């Protein structure tokens, strides 16, 4: 669509219904319209000769259950959120991609390796998925690039799962981060999903659950911890879990039974150390909890779901131990956030847990609607205005908007 035509299309409200649907309500409609129009203007400043524009969107994600299970081919419960990355994009005739990022090279290479068409693209990208916030801004970006390739060169025929797998490939081999597949899958597929990574082809079950109608809101707080020097902490989690699997001649923990681990604890402790054993035991408990959380949501039993969320957080704290780093005990942002959350929420107003990778990042809380204002104010007071975000689950993954 021509740039001026597209701007008028948005100004005249012809995209309103779609934007309300994407961002889960009218509250952010004016903001999103301004954001889209500004994106078009920014694109035209960068690429004044391009004027056949498309707009793509890919959401961030929240991990609801399954903390550090995906890289061991376990199960997760994850959801797309109503924060996203958008791209104003146009094909060009130069066979050059004019966006700067190692991840872009990886996504284009991944698509080409799988036999999909690729070509030159000019794009302006903007995102309100905060980087380093635990909401998977990088996976949203990878999904966005996959959607651009699908839309401009493959008639939107690259399916969401394939885009997720390509995104993981880009992160693993072009960015050097040994991540699992949960982040990319949640961003690409959308909705609230129970995902089982046991087989080579992930099993995906979408769950239709209205958290707001159940009386709760999803709150994510960025504790503003430093992510410097954390690579070894993150890498140690899958490394130690895999070391337990390798003790039994397997590659991933999903291939080893919990009973085998329990019956060999003395030898595992001696050879691998206690933390590796504890992290393996966390995996088995968390994998089972994901099934129970999913079942509770399918049955509409929010209290049962919250019970398992609380146990999940306890396991991450005690067994997985991804709350604070051993080389910086002075700064324990996540521990402070969880402590304050528990004090405010008490026994009847919600639950909280570590969110995502952990160590310096974010916490997640399911808060009773009537308590949200007090909760947000308290967390913002400690970590800074806007640290606590109230999010909604988005039903769409990566999409072409226009």
């Amino acid at each position: 669509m021509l740039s001026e035509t597209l701007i008028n299309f948005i100004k005249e409200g012809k995209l309103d219904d779609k934007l309300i649907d994407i961002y889960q309500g009218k509250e952010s409609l004016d903001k999103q319209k301004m954001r889209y129009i500004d994106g078009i203007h920014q694109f035209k400043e960068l690429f004044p000769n391009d004027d056949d524009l498309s707009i793509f969107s890919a959401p961030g994600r929240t991990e609801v259950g399954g903390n550090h299970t995906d890289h061991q081919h376990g199960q997760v419960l994850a959801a797309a959120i109503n924060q996203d990355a958008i791209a104003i994009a146009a094909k060009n005739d130069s066979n050059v991609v004019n966006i700067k990022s190692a991840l872009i090279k990886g996504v284009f290479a991944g698509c080409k390796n799988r036999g999909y068409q690729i070509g030159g693209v000019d794009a302006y990208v903007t995102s309100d998925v905060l980087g380093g916030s635990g909401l998977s801004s990088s996976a949203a970006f990878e999904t966005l690039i996959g959607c651009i390739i699908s839309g401009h060169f493959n008639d939107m025929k690259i399916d969401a799962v394939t885009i997720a797998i390509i995104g993981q490939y880009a992160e693993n081999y072009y960015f050097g981060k040994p991540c699992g597949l949960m982040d990319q899958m949640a961003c690409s597929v959308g909705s609230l999903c129970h995902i089982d990574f046991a087989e080579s082809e992930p099993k995906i079950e979408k769950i239709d659950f209205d958290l707001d109608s159940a009386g709760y809101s999803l709150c994510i707080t960025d504790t503003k911890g430093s992510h410097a020097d954390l690579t070894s902490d993150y890498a140690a989690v899958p490394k130690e879990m895999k070391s337990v699997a390798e003790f039994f001649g397997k590659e991933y923990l999903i291939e080893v039974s919990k009973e085998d681990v329990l019956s060999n604890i003395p030898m595992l402790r001696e050879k691998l150390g206690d933390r590796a054993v504890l992290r393996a035991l966390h995996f088995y408990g968390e994998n089972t909890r994901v099934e129970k959380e999913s079942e509770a949501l399918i049955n509409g039993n929010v209290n049962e779901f919250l019970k398992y969320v609380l146990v999940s957080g306890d396991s991450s704290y005690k067994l997985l131990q991804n709350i604070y780093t051993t080389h910086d005990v002075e700064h324990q942002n996540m521990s402070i956030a969880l402590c304050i959350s528990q004090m405010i929420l008490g026994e009847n107003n919600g639950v909280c847990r570590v969110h995502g990778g952990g160590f310096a990042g974010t916490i997640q809380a399911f808060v009773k609607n009537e308590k949200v204002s007090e909760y947000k104010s308290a967390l913002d007071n400690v970590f800074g205005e806007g640290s606590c975000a109230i999010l909604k689950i988005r039903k769409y993954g990566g999409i072409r908007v226009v």
Side-chain angles (χ1 to χ4, degrees), residues 258-270:
K258 181 177 70 173
E259 290 71 26
D260 281 344
V261 172
L262 289 172
S263 62
N264 285 276
I265 282 182
M267 284 187 289
L268 288 167
R269 291 183 65 198
E270 181 180 353

Side-chain angles (χ1 to χ4, degrees), residues 193-226:
C193 288
H194 174 198
I195 310 171
D196 188 344
F197 294 105
E199 306 296 333
S200 57
E201 184 72 21
K203 295 179 181 178
I204 303 169
E205 178 186 22
K206 290 193 175 184
I207 299 174
D208 184 16
F209 183 81
D210 189 339
L211 188 64
D212 185 63
S213 296
Y216 286 85
S217 294
L218 170 62
C219 299
I220 301 292
T221 299
D222 181 1
T223 68
K224 307 295 175 65
S226 172

Side-chain angles (χ1 to χ4, degrees), residues 17-24 57-61 79-84 143 147 160 185-193 206 392-401:
D17 289 345
K18 194 165 190 176
L19 293 177
I20 290 169
D21 191 31
I22 291 171
Y23 297 102
Q24 294 293 290
S57 162
R61 71 96 183 100
I81 60 171
N82 59 335
Q83 291 183 355
D84 68 341
T143 299
C147 287
M185 193 70 75
C187 294
S188 187
V189 172
S191 188
L192 174 64
C193 288
K206 290 193 175 184
K392 293 183 179 181
I393 294 173
R394 159 174 157 160
K395 56 185 168 182
Y396 301 107
I399 58 171
R400 184 174 192 160
V401 181

Side-chain angles (χ1 to χ4, degrees), residues 310 339-352 371:
L310 189 61
C339 178
I340 292 170
S341 296
Q342 289 169 352
M343 292 173 65
I344 294 170
L345 298 175
E347 295 183 0
N348 301 310
N349 291 299
V351 297
C352 61
K371 199 76 173 179

Side-chain angles (χ1 to χ4, degrees), residues 220-247:
I220 301 292
T221 299
D222 181 1
T223 68
K224 307 295 175 65
S226 172
H227 286 74
D229 301 321
L230 291 180
T231 301
S232 60
D233 289 293
Y234 288 122
V237 176
K239 181 180 179 181
E240 290 180 8
M241 288 184 177
K242 283 189 173 185
S243 72
V244 176
E246 289 167 358
F247 177 89

Side-chain angles (χ1 to χ4, degrees), residues 114-345:
R114 288 171 173 266
Y116 293 109
Q117 296 296 312
I118 62 173
V121 172
D122 298 327
Y124 171 77
V125 176
T126 182
S127 175
D128 62 6
V129 185
L130 299 178
S133 65
L135 297 172
S136 292
S137 57
S138 61
F141 183 76
E142 292 152 10
T143 299
L144 187 67
I145 301 304
C147 287
I148 292 173
I149 296 171
S150 181
H152 277 312
F153 306 108
N154 296 277
D155 299 319
M156 288 303 290
K157 291 181 180 178
I158 308 180
D159 64 272
V161 172
T162 299
I163 287 176
I165 292 171
I166 290 170
Q168 182 199 28
Y169 166 80
E171 193 128 3
N172 288 172
Y173 294 100
Y174 280 74
F175 196 64
K177 182 180 177 182
C179 66
L181 187 55
M182 176 186 68
D183 295 354
Q184 292 80 7
M185 193 70 75
C187 294
S188 187
V189 172
S191 188
L192 174 64
C193 288
H194 174 198
I195 310 171
D196 188 344
F197 294 105
E199 306 296 333
S200 57
E201 184 72 21
K203 295 179 181 178
I204 303 169
E205 178 186 22
K206 290 193 175 184
I207 299 174
D208 184 16
F209 183 81
D210 189 339
L211 188 64
D212 185 63
S213 296
Y216 286 85
S217 294
L218 170 62
C219 299
I220 301 292
T221 299
D222 181 1
T223 68
K224 307 295 175 65
S226 172
H227 286 74
D229 301 321
L230 291 180
T231 301
S232 60
D233 289 293
Y234 288 122
V237 176
K239 181 180 179 181
E240 290 180 8
M241 288 184 177
K242 283 189 173 185
S243 72
V244 176
E246 289 167 358
F247 177 89
F248 296 96
K250 304 295 182 181
E251 187 174 2
Y252 302 105
L253 279 177
I254 195 65
E255 302 172 284
V256 180
S257 73
K258 181 177 70 173
E259 290 71 26
D260 281 344
V261 172
L262 289 172
S263 62
N264 285 276
I265 282 182
M267 284 187 289
L268 288 167
R269 291 183 65 198
E270 181 180 353
K271 185 172 182 179
L272 305 176
D274 289 347
R275 193 172 68 174
V277 175
L278 290 169
R279 284 176 164 170
L281 294 176
H282 164 81
F283 168 81
Y284 294 112
E286 192 75 343
N287 217 32
T288 300
R289 277 187 290 274
V290 168
E291 292 183 341
K292 293 179 177 178
E293 287 174 342
S294 299
E295 183 180 353
L297 291 176
I298 290 169
N299 293 331
N301 190 338
V302 69
N303 291 329
E304 185 79 356
F305 163 72
L306 294 175
K307 180 183 77 173
Y308 289 115
V309 171
L310 189 61
V311 177
S312 170
D314 193 50
S315 180
S316 291
Y317 212 137
K318 294 178 180 177
L319 305 185
L320 185 61
Q321 299 178 32
N322 65 334
I323 299 297
Y324 54 88
T325 68
T326 55
H327 64 266
D328 183 14
V329 295
E330 180 182 356
H331 299 101
Q332 299 186 21
N333 298 48
M334 297 182 69
S335 301
I336 290 289
L338 291 167
C339 178
I340 292 170
S341 296
Q342 289 169 352
M343 292 173 65
I344 294 170
L345 298 175

